[in-house]
Amino acid sequence: MPERLIVVSNRLPGGGKPSGGLVVALHDAIADRGGIWIGAHPETGEASDTFEEVETTPYRKLAFRLTEEEQENYYLGFANSVLWPLCHRRGDLVDLQSEYERDYIAVNRRLARLIADMVEEEDILWIHDYHFLPLAYELRKLGVFNRIGFFLHIPFPSLADLSVLPTPASFAEWLASYNLLGLQTRRDVARCLEMYRSDPRAEFLPDGTVKFGMNVVSVRSFPIGIDVADFARAAAEPAPSPFGREEPDEYVIGVDRLDYSKGLPNRFHAFGEFLETCPDTRRPCLIQIAPPTREQVKAYQDITRELEEIAGRLNGRFAALDWTPIRYIHRAVEREELARLHRNAKACLVTSLADGMNLVAKEFVAAQDPDDPGVLILSKFAGAAEDMGQALLVNPYNTSEIAEAIETALDMSLEERRRRHAACLEAVEASDVSLWSSHFLGMLERCMPTLPVRRGAAGGGGEAPGGTGGSGMMADRA
Ligand code: ADQ
């Protein structure tokens, strides 16, 4: 039986032609080798002990239902009111309720049972993101010893942040059940290895993999990217101006889900500081596109209100009858239109306080005309900054520094813009999303599979995975 790829992510991609870098990359990977995509059904319902078949071509898409209560406790609760703030250094926003963790584990356990019932011996599994941290742990308990990889899209938490969890020791144990643990950046890998270094249950093997009880996990960084050529093509497509008669003289763009991790209030304040120093003859705009997200969570309601207030205040103070300095659009915009907006912007503001990677930064760079490019102003706390040192890097907590960077960007010489853009583009191309998925899967295939635990062995344990304490990776597969 050939190897199938089973992908698990929170949401299934919509029907029709896939769009968006990550979806396309995973779609291609499954379509190439055959496989299945599993995700939560967008509507709640009865918990069932079978998957619902959503689509069958070009590969199967299977959905599992969450009950209304699980949606509250597992998704909005543990995933988005505990793990998300914790990984984004917002321990103050963590909302600890015992039913959150209970249902988080229960949903992962149910999903593991559904997968265990249909998985075949040669399948490889690729699990995505913080909704499913314990999935491999639960699968191993059910006797699934296939190769399982995990990719965390958000920052890996520090030891101090992890201690906020109700049972911090579980985090290391859950993740050690994967064969390959993929993180966005080298900094994330360092934090993850620090976690294992400080855990007496973990042992480092000579090849750098981590042995944890019966498991061996390899921890690597795989900086995610975008479909560069596709975004560049969309950006260069000729189209009428979306501004009509409201064409701004020059504009800086921001595109983010409306999330407190993206540093939007600081960005608006910084733009206000920049306007203070602007000569009257200059009429720059900040075009901020920020669609709502997770609106049922209080922290998201708070940030929505805060941002509206700041935008209103700044526009009240600086606007003229023929000029609105901040144009704040609180909804999603078509990908093609977004690409063109990026291309015509003088600069892009990415001011995340913490961010796994930040694909918007890469999309902005890909969208530019190399002969006359705009300037990327990039938070040093976004994963994208690790390989894009030629962006204008800023501390997002320092609004004066962001304000200065806006001025520097708008006044930058063509030669410097070209030089910085070429260096950033090189980094963006090196992390193209198709390379990202093939690197991850190539590495996962070279991982030593987890060996079944021999029941009844001395001490109730069994043989170590990957042989007798051997390496988790090997150059060639046997
Ligand atoms: P996000 O937090 O969602 O992703 P990001 O990486 O910037 O952040 O990706 C957002 C995507 O949504 C981009 O492709 C962007 O173009 C699109 N988008 C944002 N606002 C939009 C709008 N108004 N209209 C249309 N499209 C919009 C998580 C992590 C990131 C990590 C990614 C991928 O938080 O750190 O980079 O996953 O791993």
Side-chain angles (χ1 to χ4, degrees):
M1 186 73 200
E3 278 177 359
R4 299 181 304 179
L5 172 62
I6 299 182
V7 166
V8 180
S9 64
N10 175 47
R11 290 262 175 265
L12 283 168
K17 190 173 174 289
S19 67
L22 175 65
V23 170
V24 172
L26 294 177
H27 170 94
D28 289 351
I30 305 176
D32 280 355
R33 63 169 79 208
I36 299 172
W37 196 323
I38 295 169
H41 199 284
E43 280 154 30
T44 54
E46 291 283 303
S48 155
D49 54 8
T50 51
F51 282 119
E52 289 176 42
E53 189 105 40
V54 176
E55 215 168 55
T56 51
T57 52
Y59 48 81
R60 294 171 74 197
K61 287 185 196 164
L62 301 178
F64 61 96
R65 290 255 182 190
L66 296 173
T67 64
E68 198 60 45
E69 198 182 2
E70 287 168 346
Q71 171 77 4
E72 287 283 323
N73 295 335
Y74 149 83
Y75 178 73
L76 295 169
F78 201 74
N80 285 311
S81 301
V82 178
L83 293 171
W84 179 274
L86 180 110
C87 291
H88 290 87
R89 289 195 243 126
R90 291 300 304 268
D92 58 314
L93 295 178
V94 168
D95 179 12
L96 292 178
Q97 311 283 341
S98 58
E99 60 272 27
Y100 288 179
E101 190 180 38
R102 180 199 68 201
D103 280 7
Y104 182 76
I105 292 171
V107 167
N108 274 279
R109 200 165 279 164
R110 184 167 80 243
L111 180 58
R113 275 198 307 273
L114 296 179
I115 295 174
D117 284 347
M118 46 77 82
V119 74
E120 290 168 6
E121 207 176 314
E122 292 298 314
D123 291 343
I124 61 172
L125 284 80
W126 190 1
I127 316 298
H128 287 262
D129 235 359
Y130 58 99
H131 315 85
F132 304 114
L133 297 171
L135 191 52
Y137 177 78
E138 295 296 336
L139 282 163
R140 301 303 186 206
K141 287 203 290 189
L142 296 171
V144 174
F145 297 108
N146 300 53
R147 289 185 181 81
I148 312 180
F150 180 83
F151 187 77
L152 184 67
H153 290 257
I154 64 177
F156 197 90
S158 68
L159 267 182
D161 290 331
L162 273 174
S163 64
V164 171
L165 282 173
T167 48
S170 307
F171 203 87
E173 190 174 23
W174 289 341
L175 292 179
S177 299
Y178 290 96
N179 299 95
L180 176 60
L181 176 50
L183 304 173
Q184 295 275 25
T185 65
R186 298 184 290 280
R187 270 186 292 185
D188 291 305
V189 170
R191 280 195 291 268
C192 177
L193 296 182
E194 190 196 4
M195 173 186 77
Y196 282 120
R197 238 173 243 121
S198 70
D199 192 321
R201 298 169 297 174
E203 176 193 341
F204 279 79
L205 298 179
D207 64 355
T209 54
V210 179
K211 183 168 182 294
F212 192 100
M214 292 294 115
N215 301 312
V216 176
V217 60
S218 181
V219 184
R220 301 288 174 113
S221 68
F222 298 89
I224 196 170
I226 60 165
D227 182 339
V228 183
D230 185 62
F231 207 80
R233 182 205 44 74
E237 202 75 36
S241 163
F243 295 110
R245 284 188 303 166
E246 303 293 321
E247 187 84 37
D249 294 349
E250 55 182 356
Y251 70 89
V252 177
I253 191 163
V255 177
D256 314 73
R257 279 184 308 101
L258 183 39
D259 192 293
Y260 50 79
S261 65
K262 305 291 182 184
L264 291 163
N266 282 10
R267 183 182 309 176
F268 280 20
H269 286 307
F271 194 71
E273 280 184 43
F274 165 67
L275 292 177
E276 298 262 14
T277 60
C278 248
D280 287 346
T281 47
R282 194 163 205 174
R283 297 205 150 183
C285 281
L286 169 63
I287 310 280
Q288 177 63 54
I289 299 163
T293 173
R294 303 170 199 164
E295 289 173 289
Q296 300 92 323
V297 177
K298 181 171 178 301
Y300 288 80
Q301 297 162 3
D302 292 347
I303 182 90
T304 305
R305 206 171 315 113
E306 184 183 359
L307 212 56
E308 276 162 11
E309 277 167 19
I310 304 173
R313 224 176 22 246
L314 289 173
N315 275 337
R317 166 136 183 245
F318 292 102
L321 287 174
D322 56 351
W323 174 47
T324 310
I326 297 185
R327 299 195 199 171
Y328 168 40
I329 293 142
H330 187 40
R331 63 180 160 73
V333 165
E334 284 276 312
R335 197 175 161 67
E336 270 63 27
E337 180 145 60
L338 213 53
R340 289 192 295 270
L341 282 169
H342 275 309
R343 191 175 177 91
N344 293 320
K346 293 274 183 232
C348 175
L349 274 167
V350 174
T351 53
S352 317
L353 307 176
D355 215 330
M357 178 54 58
N358 196 288
L359 295 180
V360 171
K362 297 193 171 186
E363 288 168 351
F364 176 77
V365 170
Q368 297 310 299
D369 173 358
D371 290 332
D372 185 15
V375 179
L376 175 62
I377 300 171
L378 178 59
S379 161
K380 61 183 180 183
F381 301 133
E386 195 164 274
D387 293 320
M388 285 213 271
Q390 281 302 306
L392 283 184
L393 295 185
V394 291
N395 174 354
Y397 291 97
N398 187 338
T399 53
S400 314
E401 195 178 312
I402 303 172
E404 259 172 55
I406 297 171
E407 189 175 355
T408 306
L410 295 184
D411 293 340
M412 193 179 282
S413 70
L414 178 61
E415 192 210 335
E416 186 175 351
R417 282 190 282 127
R418 280 186 185 157
R419 183 172 51 73
R420 286 178 180 273
H421 173 257
C424 288
L425 185 60
E426 202 175 306
V428 170
E429 284 172 339
S431 68
D432 191 280
V433 72
S434 58
L435 294 174
W436 170 81
S437 68
S438 60
H439 283 162
F440 185 94
L441 289 171
M443 190 77 84
L444 180 57
E445 282 171 333
R446 292 198 299 279
C447 282
M448 192 76 93
T450 301
L451 293 183
V453 174
R454 242 192 252 140
R455 301 278 162 219
E463 194 173 90
T468 47
S471 158
M473 301 287 298
M474 56 185 187
D476 301 301
R477 293 184 60 195

